Amino acid sequence: MEVMLDQHLEVMSDRETLLQNVFDTVSTGLFVIEVEGLDDSTTENTTFRFVMTNPAYDKLLSIPNNSLAGLWPHEALPSEVADRFSRNYNRCLEQRQPISYEESVESEADHRTLLTTLSPIFAADGQISRIIGSSQDVTAYTQVETASKPVQQDTTVKPQLAPPQLTNELLPVNTGDRQWIEDFLWLTHLSLEQSAIMACLVEQEARFIYVNDAACQLLGYSRQELLSMSVGDVTPDFPPEAWPEHWQEVKQRRSFTFEAVKQRKDNQRFPVEITVNYFEFNGGEYNFVLVRNITNRQQTEEALSQEKEL
């Protein structure tokens, strides 16, 4: 039994390391919130604490990496920002299902619009114990969509870290603990599955070794079908002969975004924006890919261009 447990932990450790690479390199912001003091009758006394955030989420908020772990929103962020975040967390608790919404954040350098999804995690007693969140930068899309609309008053607020003395209460994380590893695997996996954007893991020979639900919906294939296919089967821009050159570019640049065309199972083609994230694990080379359907954006851009020509 002890040998079997050791082997199980070793397998989990490998999977945890792989998911840690994905968690650290993916361009979608990911975060986990601990729910504290939740009562059956009300959420009035409920508090929230950041368990973990990935570098992409920290970047979206223009804060240093790992600055939020272990803190309540009101410890780390201005009160108006913390209030807004907490209201959305409470909405997730009240609805007891995933919610998605757009929110604006502003720093001294830029202004961003985020598409955020919150997903509740239920404990054995039916209570919500954690919230998993993902945030994607949709600034470019909202700018295009609102280009011809009247300008509205900007009501965004600037997220800033609280004074340094408030950001040193980090929760201890023991990556050798079995329960923590299993929780991390589950939370990271669920974050990817709840994402509204197609996410997939591709190995050096262009084969899919992971796809999320959004990928199946976008391309019209089952998960089993996609895991037996290669990138070229759904991306006309990358036939087998063009793949080696593309992989070398991915390996050299590591992370970048470009536009391409995808093809669904019914042969329908549509434009997409692809973000690649290259990393190495256990001697293998991998690319974690995020794919966004930009059909609406291109149609809006074309309409605006035609209006200018008139």
Side-chain angles (χ1 to χ4, degrees):
M1 174 65 78
E2 184 175 347
V3 173
M4 292 178 62
L5 178 59
D6 289 342
Q7 292 174 342
H8 178 61
L9 288 173
E10 183 177 352
V11 171
M12 286 198 301
S13 180
D14 285 344
R15 292 176 59 202
E16 184 267 338
T17 303
L18 178 59
L19 283 177
Q20 181 73 61
N21 274 280
V22 173
F23 189 79
D24 288 341
T25 60
V26 67
S27 60
T28 295
L30 302 175
F31 55 97
V32 180
I33 303 294
E34 189 82 32
V35 180
E36 301 174 341
L38 180 61
D39 184 86
D40 288 331
S41 59
T42 179
T43 60
E44 183 177 350
N45 298 320
T46 304
T47 58
F48 307 96
R49 186 190 295 270
F50 288 100
V51 177
M52 66 176 73
T53 62
N54 73 340
Y57 187 68
D58 297 334
K59 183 178 180 180
L60 289 174
L61 297 185
S62 300
I63 61 177
N65 286 351
N66 301 317
S67 297
L68 295 177
L71 298 178
W72 293 296
H74 285 85
E75 286 183 304
L77 303 167
S79 59
E80 63 270 26
V81 180
D83 286 344
R84 179 158 54 86
F85 281 17
S86 296
R87 283 196 298 270
N88 285 320
Y89 301 156
N90 274 311
R91 281 202 303 127
C92 183
L93 297 184
E94 292 168 357
Q95 297 184 27
R96 295 178 64 84
Q97 63 182 4
I99 63 171
S100 294
Y101 53 92
E102 286 189 2
E103 58 182 342
S104 296
V105 295
E106 186 175 301
S107 66
E108 295 181 359
D110 58 13
H111 175 118
R112 292 174 178 169
T113 300
L114 308 181
L115 175 61
T116 296
T117 298
L118 302 178
S119 301
I121 301 299
F122 296 88
D125 61 1
Q127 292 276 25
I128 297 174
S129 60
R130 289 185 175 182
I131 295 174
I132 296 193
S134 65
S135 291
Q136 295 132 13
D137 189 343
V138 295
T139 306
Y141 310 103
T142 55
Q143 286 176 343
V144 170
E145 291 172 356
T146 60
S148 59
K149 297 180 181 179
V151 177
Q152 299 180 349
Q153 183 179 2
D154 185 6
T155 59
T156 59
V157 290
K158 299 181 180 181
Q160 300 172 346
L161 282 180
Q165 63 267 26
L166 295 180
T167 62
N168 58 6
E169 301 174 13
L170 300 182
L171 290 178
V173 175
N174 179 10
T175 57
D177 178 74
R178 174 180 178 179
Q179 186 59 51
W180 188 92
I181 292 175
E182 290 180 336
D183 286 348
F184 179 84
L185 290 171
W186 170 246
L187 294 173
T188 305
H189 175 76
L190 189 59
S191 297
L192 297 174
E193 287 302 313
Q194 294 289 348
S195 174
I197 292 180
M198 171 180 169
C200 56
L201 188 61
V202 178
E203 52 84 67
Q204 187 174 2
E205 300 303 319
R207 290 189 296 271
F208 293 112
I209 59 176
Y210 166 79
V211 294
N212 67 349
D213 283 343
C216 301
Q217 295 173 15
L218 185 64
L219 298 174
Y221 289 95
S222 68
R223 192 185 304 265
Q224 184 176 4
E225 287 176 317
L226 285 174
L227 292 179
S228 68
M229 300 167 64
S230 297
V231 173
D233 295 326
V234 295
T235 315
D237 296 337
F238 294 116
E241 60 272 17
W243 182 255
E245 181 179 353
H246 172 68
W247 188 260
Q248 284 303 311
E249 181 183 13
V250 169
K251 186 174 180 178
Q252 291 173 4
R253 298 178 62 183
R254 306 190 76 84
S255 182
F256 60 95
T257 299
F258 63 97
E259 294 184 4
V261 173
K262 288 290 183 184
Q263 181 170 298
R264 290 174 47 85
K265 187 175 182 178
D266 60 9
N267 293 323
Q268 176 186 351
R269 295 189 177 190
F270 56 95
V272 295
E273 181 182 79
I274 299 175
T275 299
V276 303
N277 300 274
Y278 173 86
F279 65 93
E280 298 176 358
F281 171 71
N282 275 358
E285 299 178 359
Y286 301 93
N287 181 16
F288 188 79
V289 184
L290 295 173
V291 180
R292 186 194 301 273
N293 186 344
I294 59 172
T295 300
N296 291 339
R297 188 184 81 180
Q298 287 198 354
Q299 290 175 345
T300 302
E301 289 175 343
E302 291 174 2
L304 290 174
S305 178
Q306 291 175 0
E307 287 180 6
K308 292 179 180 179
E309 293 176 357
L310 295 178

